[in-house]
Every structure is written in structure tokens, then in C-alpha cells.
Amino acid sequence: MGAGDSGIVKWCQATLNEVPLPIVRSTFVRYTDPQRRRFQPDVNHTTNKASLEVDQVVHNHMGKYRCEIQIMENDDHERTVFGNLMVYSSPFFHTNGSMNLVADELNKQEVTADKRYATEGDPMVIHCPATGYPRPTIIWYKGGELLEIDGAHISVSNNGTVLTIDKFAESDTGEYRCSATNEYPNRLDLDFKAHEASLAQEVAIGSPYGWIYPLLVILVILLLLFIIIYACAACKRYQHDNYNVAKRDSPERRDYMHEAPAHALSRLVCSLDQEVRDCLLRLSSPLSSRRLRPLLIDRPTLYPL
């Protein structure tokens, strides 16, 4: 069995002198669960078999199961008989998405993980998330050769699934591979067969401040954008100010500014009585008088009949 298989069927029956006995009820107990989870199988009263079918196999379906069957004894007394079933699984790697794993196209049991970077002088931890039933044995290799585990500079823990390198050095760089192996029979009448899966991962030394370089690039780009936007805005303001100054200092604009008050005053004066206009003329400035006098002389005075 392997994780992701389409489905499996587990069954059991009670026999006496190789004759199946009728089943009253049956229960499957998964012993690999700390809670001893119980399942109710389907009972076929024709074949006297209790069957438990799993549609989609996942990693926690493997392990040891106990089949309990209640049978009738002497027509008035129930008796419980039981037996053990093993759901075997070849080794595979289960990560819950914490690692990006790629299986080889020709051999799905050979898996490669993304390259990792270590900091020189700091500890480095490499994981081998292998699982299976029976529990696989883990062996570590480096560069195709068996890795020497001295317990000081290089050590393993958690049943061999965690490799720790203390004070990572240049000599520790390279490809690390863990090999997970277990054995089980494909059928009860067959001998045990070995099953293996391997996970390879390259480890190199990287800069401890490697994350700063992308950040600096982003900051420089933002700064350049700010400078460009500020320069465009300043250029538009400069052009707008020059246009307003040129328009304000033009000869037409100056003449209009000097003459506009005189024309406005002349229109007001022409609408007043002659005496008021004379008074205003005497009080007005010489410049205004010179500009207003021709207008007042040229325009006739109108009196009501």
C-alpha cells in the first residue's frame, strides 16, 4: 500500500475446522491510533466475512488493526474472537506542504527537494520526513558516500529523520541524501521484501544578509520613481509660472491695467450730474483728469425736458 492509492479492502472471518462461522457483529480497531479508533465493517452473511473498505488511502491508514468478531456459541451465548491485520506501506515522504518535493519521472521513489542555503558557522538542520509501516530505517549519504555520524559535528535525531550539522563549514557543502527502507511481505505466503525511497537535497553556503539585497533594489527603484515624479511636477510648475509672468508683463497687459480704471471711472462720471462731474474732475489726479476730460467733452450732456 502507498499513500494516494485508489483504495484497499481489509477483511476477516472466524472459522472452526476451516469452516466459516456466522457473524453476529464485528468491529475493527486501529492500534496505531493513540485513541484506539474503532470502525464498523460491512458483514457479508453469505461468505461470513467482515470487510472494511478505504476509498482513498492516506498515510494514517497504515498500521496494525485488530478485527473483533462476535459469534454465537451453543445457540444462546455470544463469544468474541479476534485477529490482527497489518496494513503495510512502503516508505514515502510526508511534509504537509512544508517542503517542495519533486519525484523522478522514471522512479517515483527518488525525490528531490529545493536547494537550501546555510550560514557559515551556524548549525544546519536537514529533514528527512519519511514514513511507512513498518517504520523505515533511515541512512544518510553525502555526495554518494555513506555519511559519517560522529555525534559531535554531525548528529541525527527523531529516529534518524533529522540531521544536524554543528557550525556549518565550507567542507559541509554538497548533496545530502536520506534513504528510507522497510521490509514486509506482499502476501502472507511470501517472504519479506525490501522497499526503499530516497530524498536528495543540495546545501550550500549563502550570505546571512542575502535578504538585504532585494530590499535595497526595491528601495532604489522607489527612490528613482519619486525623483522622476517630483521632477515632472517641478517642470510643470516652472512652465506655468513663466507663462503667467510673460502674460502679466506684456505691453497690452500694462496698457489695459492703466486704462481700465480710467474707463471705469469715466463711465461712472458720465452718468452723474454736471456739478458732481465737475467736482470729481477737480478732485481727480492730473493723470485721471487728462484721460477723463476728452471723454467728458466729446460726450454731450443730456438734461430732461
Side-chain angles (χ1 to χ4, degrees):
M1 184 198 94
D5 290 347
S6 58
I8 59 172
V9 177
K10 301 183 286 288
W11 64 271
C12 64
Q13 65 180 176
T15 62
L16 179 62
N17 297 326
E18 298 184 356
V19 177
L21 300 176
I23 299 175
V24 178
R25 56 185 170 273
S26 179
T27 304
F28 279 79
V29 182
R30 187 162 61 197
Y31 267 66
T32 51
D33 284 346
Q35 298 82 10
R36 297 289 194 268
R37 186 177 177 184
R38 306 176 73 89
F39 304 89
Q40 298 300 320
D42 295 328
V43 177
N44 188 324
H45 295 286
T46 302
T47 61
N48 293 318
K49 285 184 178 181
S51 303
L52 182 64
E53 183 176 0
V54 179
D55 293 331
Q56 185 68 31
V57 179
V58 295
H59 73 282
N60 58 357
H61 287 149
M62 61 190 177
K64 179 181 177 180
Y65 290 78
R66 174 170 167 163
C67 175
E68 300 176 353
I69 296 177
Q70 282 75 37
I71 61 174
M72 292 300 298
E73 189 175 48
N74 299 326
D75 295 332
D76 60 353
H77 179 69
E78 289 187 6
R79 179 186 175 190
T80 301
V81 295
F82 59 87
N84 294 327
L85 295 90
M86 303 297 179
V87 178
Y88 296 112
S89 172
S90 59
F92 62 94
F93 301 101
H94 181 69
T95 65
N96 287 327
S98 59
M99 297 175 62
N100 183 30
L101 305 181
V102 179
D104 185 78
E105 295 182 358
L106 300 179
N107 186 358
K108 299 298 183 181
Q109 298 302 106
E110 295 183 0
V111 181
T112 303
D114 288 343
K115 184 177 181 180
R116 294 185 59 190
Y117 294 91
T119 302
E120 189 171 8
D122 288 351
M124 180 64 181
V125 178
I126 306 174
H127 295 274
C128 179
T131 186
Y133 189 82
R135 177 185 294 168
T137 301
I138 309 297
I139 300 177
W140 287 91
Y141 298 86
K142 179 178 180 292
E145 298 182 358
L146 184 65
L147 182 63
E148 181 180 355
I149 310 296
D150 56 14
H153 180 61
I154 300 178
S155 59
V156 294
S157 59
N158 196 19
N159 297 313
T161 59
V162 178
L163 177 71
T164 303
I165 303 175
D166 186 45
K167 296 181 180 179
F168 197 88
E170 183 68 32
S171 59
D172 295 319
T173 60
E175 183 185 79
Y176 289 81
R177 181 173 64 88
C178 68
S179 174
T181 307
N182 65 3
E183 295 183 352
Y184 59 86
N186 292 336
R187 288 190 347 215
L188 291 177
D189 56 347
L190 295 179
D191 295 332
F192 280 71
K193 180 182 178 181
H195 303 268
E196 180 185 5
S198 64
L199 172 62
Q201 186 174 37
E202 185 176 355
V203 182
I205 292 180
S207 172
Y209 305 104
W211 59 272
I212 293 181
Y213 298 112
L215 179 61
L216 290 177
V217 172
I218 295 175
L219 292 177
V220 169
I221 293 175
L222 293 177
L223 180 60
L224 291 176
L225 289 176
F226 175 78
I227 292 175
I228 293 173
I229 294 173
Y230 180 81
C232 291
C235 182
K236 289 183 178 180
R237 287 198 303 269
Y238 177 77
Q239 293 176 351
H240 183 266
D241 293 342
N242 286 346
Y243 173 77
N244 290 338
V245 171
K247 184 177 181 181
R248 185 175 66 249
D249 295 341
S250 61
E252 295 81 359
R253 177 65 175 175
R254 290 194 299 269
D255 294 341
Y256 174 77
M257 294 298 293
H258 288 296
E259 294 178 0
H263 283 289
L265 184 59
S266 65
R267 287 194 298 269
L268 177 61
V269 170
C270 291
S271 62
L272 299 177
D273 188 78
Q274 180 66 39
E275 295 179 359
V276 177
R277 286 188 291 159
D278 293 341
C279 179
L280 290 175
L281 288 175
R282 288 193 299 268
L283 297 175
S284 61
S285 64
L287 176 60
S288 299
S289 298
R290 288 194 299 269
R291 291 184 178 276
L292 290 173
R293 195 176 303 277
L295 295 174
L296 295 174
I297 294 173
D298 294 340
R299 182 163 182 167
T301 302
L302 299 179
Y303 297 95
L305 297 175

